[in-house]
Amino acid sequence: MRYRALGRTGMQVSVQCLGTMMFGAVGNPDHDDCVRIIHAALDQGINFVDTADMYSAGESEEIVGEALQGRRDDVVLATKVHFPMGEGPNRGGNSRRWIVREVEDSLRRLRTDWIDLYQVHRPDPTTDVEETLSVLTDLVRQGKIRAFGCSTFPAEEIVEAHHAAERRALHRFRTEQPPYSLLARGVEKDVLPVAARYGMGVLTWSPLASGFLTGRYRKGDPIDLSAGRAALNPARFDPSLPENARKLDVVEQLVAVAEDLGCTLPELAQAFPIAHPAVTSVIIGPRTMAQLDASLKGAGLTLDDAALDRIDEIVPPGTDLYRADGAWRPRSLTDPSLRRRPVAERAAA
């Protein structure tokens, strides 16, 4: 396993990061099995583990905390805060009030005295970014976290946060965690260059595009929209929709690339983000030991220029054919009132 510098934090992390979203009720409810998977990953050289408070409502953090007993010093441990953790208007978000409380809950669930990388899971338009940076800076000074970063932030908000940190003499986001895959290359246009400009580490998520790049969904094959990920969002996988038909066409072309390279489609998909110079680590999210073994098997795959050129022809750089589940969308897109003047003001004369 190779290691890379996590931005300018001074920490060295494995190029594959073990993501634990599938540990717990929403994925693998067997705690003992999940612990075995974590230990197997560590034994194979992975030293970077990423979780979040909201994964299975805290259960994932508890599993990670159990698995790292006796091995904590060997692991760069990352978790996240933002999403609601219970009822009530103030049990989520990026406010000082919530972060101060939730970091304590994460430390308790993880059975540790410190978190190496504490990430803001999504932007919060109701909280001034200076407020968030201020409380995170305090947590670094208190020794409860070593560094902090952001996840799925648009480039303009990353830049704004860096300017706010400089203006207020606060610590700054040291990492960004964006979705990045063969089908979702939009971050190549702005997020990855901005991260490189500010010396940020980058850990990418969803290399398999929520299952589209597992080989499970193929053109011409029936897709059961009542099972698995497809059941959660049938419109995302329905082959009768033109946008999904386009994805399936692309998948067939990528399968051909993988076959010519002598690898599987998932191995190709997980090797692709690693080749980008701005990417530090790629998050793999196994639910079973077999899935972990498959990811580790493909860890040594090197994509040469010819392979990357073929991929560029199939999915041009900066192109998004797929929007990852849970990817943040700004209110300027989701709130029609921000894109529409009052009816009486819409005419030119």
Side-chain angles (χ1 to χ4, degrees):
M1 182 62 63
R2 290 179 176 172
Y3 301 87
R4 293 174 177 170
L6 184 61
R8 295 173 184 165
T9 65
M11 291 182 278
Q12 299 287 321
V13 296
S14 49
V15 174
Q16 283 187 331
C17 173
L18 181 66
T20 65
M21 186 176 72
M22 300 308 295
F23 294 166
V26 301
N28 186 345
D30 186 333
H31 285 210
D32 291 339
D33 189 41
C34 292
V35 168
R36 284 191 291 269
I37 294 171
I38 295 172
H39 287 171
L42 300 183
D43 291 341
Q44 291 297 311
I46 289 178
N47 77 335
F48 197 12
V49 177
D50 178 74
T51 186
D53 57 357
M54 56 86 66
Y55 293 165
S56 293
E59 189 180 358
S60 174
E61 285 188 330
E62 292 174 352
I63 292 170
V64 171
E66 179 182 354
L68 295 187
Q69 294 305 293
R71 307 186 73 164
R72 177 67 185 89
D73 287 341
D74 299 324
V75 173
V76 176
L77 178 58
T79 192
K80 298 182 281 293
V81 64
H82 168 80
F83 285 104
M85 292 291 289
E87 299 295 329
N90 292 308
R91 293 182 57 83
N94 302 344
S95 69
R96 172 178 287 272
R97 186 181 194 276
W98 175 242
I99 290 175
V100 165
R101 168 171 176 171
E102 188 57 12
V103 72
E104 298 294 345
D105 288 344
S106 286
L107 288 167
R108 173 180 50 79
R109 289 188 291 259
L110 291 166
R111 304 189 199 179
T112 185
D113 294 327
W114 81 97
I115 295 163
D116 294 296
L117 178 63
Y118 199 44
Q119 300 158 101
V120 179
H121 213 155
R122 293 292 187 275
D124 179 359
T126 69
T127 304
D128 194 315
V129 70
E130 292 183 5
E131 176 84 0
T132 304
L133 295 173
S134 175
V135 63
L136 293 172
T137 298
D138 288 345
L139 293 178
V140 171
R141 292 169 177 165
Q142 293 165 14
K144 294 180 179 179
I145 65 176
R146 299 295 187 252
F148 56 84
C150 49
S151 175
T152 321
F153 271 48
E156 64 272 17
E157 296 213 18
I158 296 173
V159 172
E160 179 186 355
H162 279 279
H163 285 179
E166 182 177 11
R167 186 170 61 247
R168 293 287 303 278
L170 299 170
H171 289 214
R172 59 191 179 89
F173 287 137
R174 294 293 185 177
T175 62
E176 160 60 11
Q177 184 179 143
Y180 183 36
S181 72
L182 288 163
L183 300 183
R185 302 185 60 177
V187 293
E188 293 174 340
K189 293 183 294 186
D190 45 26
V191 171
L192 295 184
V194 164
R197 170 67 180 83
Y198 286 106
M200 300 171 71
V202 174
L203 45 159
T204 64
W205 59 274
S206 198
L208 300 181
S210 296
F212 256 103
L213 297 172
T214 62
R216 178 179 178 181
Y217 304 105
R218 299 289 299 275
K219 183 177 182 180
D221 291 346
I223 296 178
D224 185 356
L225 299 178
S226 64
R229 286 186 178 271
L232 300 175
N233 191 343
R236 187 179 293 278
F237 295 89
D238 186 347
S240 68
L241 299 177
E243 60 269 27
N244 293 331
R246 169 60 176 150
K247 294 171 199 170
L248 294 173
D249 285 337
V250 167
V251 166
E252 293 305 309
Q253 297 176 67
L254 294 172
V255 167
V257 174
E259 290 175 346
D260 289 345
L261 292 173
C263 68
T264 66
L265 178 61
E267 288 171 356
L268 175 69
Q270 294 185 67
F272 171 73
I274 293 172
H276 196 289
V279 173
T280 308
S281 187
V282 174
I283 297 173
I284 57 174
R287 180 177 53 84
T288 66
M289 188 70 77
Q291 291 174 352
L292 173 66
D293 290 341
S295 295
L296 293 172
K297 179 182 176 182
L301 177 62
T302 297
L303 300 182
D304 60 19
D305 287 344
L308 293 173
D309 287 343
R310 286 185 65 184
I311 291 170
D312 286 350
E313 292 175 359
I314 297 168
V315 185
T319 299
D320 272 333
L321 297 179
Y322 168 85
R323 189 175 71 84
D325 289 322
W328 186 78
R329 301 185 73 202
R331 288 185 60 213
S332 57
L333 298 180
T334 60
D335 185 347
S337 69
L338 298 179
R339 293 180 280 106
R340 301 173 184 175
R341 290 179 178 273
V343 175
E345 299 177 10
R346 294 178 189 174

